[in-house]
Amino acid sequence: LDHMLVTYVKGKYLVEVDPAQSVKQFQVLQKEASDGGNLKYAFLANVGLGLGYEAQKKWAEAESAFQAAVDYAERIRKTLDPVAKRAFLEGEEILGVKHLVPYEGLARVRQHKGDPTGSLDAAEFTKARSFADKISQRLPGTTFGVAPELLNELDTIEAKIRANHRRMGESRAKGG
């Protein structure tokens, strides 16, 4: 774990100084985290890869890395209790990196790639996730004037957005 922390810190430093070398550091971290089943470091590695590739204007690689980081963020979120989920995107951080960062990176990179629709999709997904997290902050049994049916519908819509987002990523990865 200490080695992964050192690798992360080196990669983070190199993003600004030497993005190509930062990518190498984050690739090492990604392998170590994946091999060790460490979701948080896998998340950080993919965010770092996205930032490193973005700094080099390697948009496809950056998009892929940010998408992987988003997937790790969602996996991490699923492990949290309801209280921790409330501040997941905008509040909780891993070594100073908010879970919101890869969502923003995905939107930014897609814009650079000339994919405004994909950029909008990423931004809208982020807003929907944030809104759902804020709605989930309600006290048990309290809906703050929002009809329970609407809250259930929001949950269903959010699940559909996630599924469609994943399918779009898979389709793009296959070149379709």
Side-chain angles (χ1 to χ4, degrees):
L1 212 56
D2 288 339
H3 183 265
M4 285 195 274
L5 177 61
V6 170
T7 304
Y8 169 73
V9 170
K10 283 169 78 175
K12 179 98 169 135
Y13 167 75
L14 288 168
V15 166
E16 301 295 323
V17 179
D18 187 346
Q21 286 301 312
S22 79
V23 165
K24 291 179 182 179
Q25 288 295 312
F26 287 123
Q27 287 171 334
V28 168
L29 180 59
Q30 181 184 41
K31 179 166 179 14
E32 290 177 6
S34 295
D35 289 350
N38 190 313
L39 293 178
K40 290 185 178 187
Y41 275 104
F43 166 80
L44 289 171
N46 282 286
V47 169
L49 283 168
L51 293 171
Y53 286 130
E54 184 179 11
Q56 297 176 74
K57 298 183 179 3
K58 293 183 176 181
W59 308 125
E61 292 91 338
E63 180 180 28
S64 178
F66 282 132
Q67 182 61 59
V70 164
D71 294 343
Y72 277 111
E74 291 300 322
R75 287 176 61 190
I76 291 167
R77 185 179 183 279
K78 287 179 183 176
T79 68
L80 301 176
D81 62 49
V83 174
K85 286 181 181 178
R86 292 178 190 160
F88 181 72
L89 279 183
E90 296 173 14
E92 185 177 311
E93 297 179 358
I94 301 174
L95 297 177
V97 178
K98 291 186 178 193
H99 291 104
L100 186 64
V101 170
Y103 294 91
E104 293 171 339
L106 201 52
R108 214 174 33 249
V109 165
R110 287 179 177 165
Q111 191 67 35
H112 282 294
K113 284 179 64 182
D115 181 10
T117 303
S119 179
L120 182 63
D121 289 344
E124 288 302 315
F125 179 81
T126 306
K127 285 192 239 176
R129 160 63 77 211
S130 182
F131 179 69
D133 285 348
K134 286 181 176 128
I135 289 289
S136 76
Q137 293 181 23
R138 66 188 187 278
L139 299 172
T142 305
T143 62
F144 296 106
V146 179
E149 299 82 28
L150 178 58
L151 294 175
N152 290 336
E153 188 177 331
L154 283 172
D155 288 341
T156 302
I157 290 169
E158 181 184 342
K160 286 181 182 179
I161 290 171
R162 272 196 318 272
N164 287 338
H165 191 264
R166 196 172 347 195
R167 287 178 43 216
M168 280 181 17
E170 290 168 359
S171 176
R172 285 187 181 122
K174 293 177 185 174

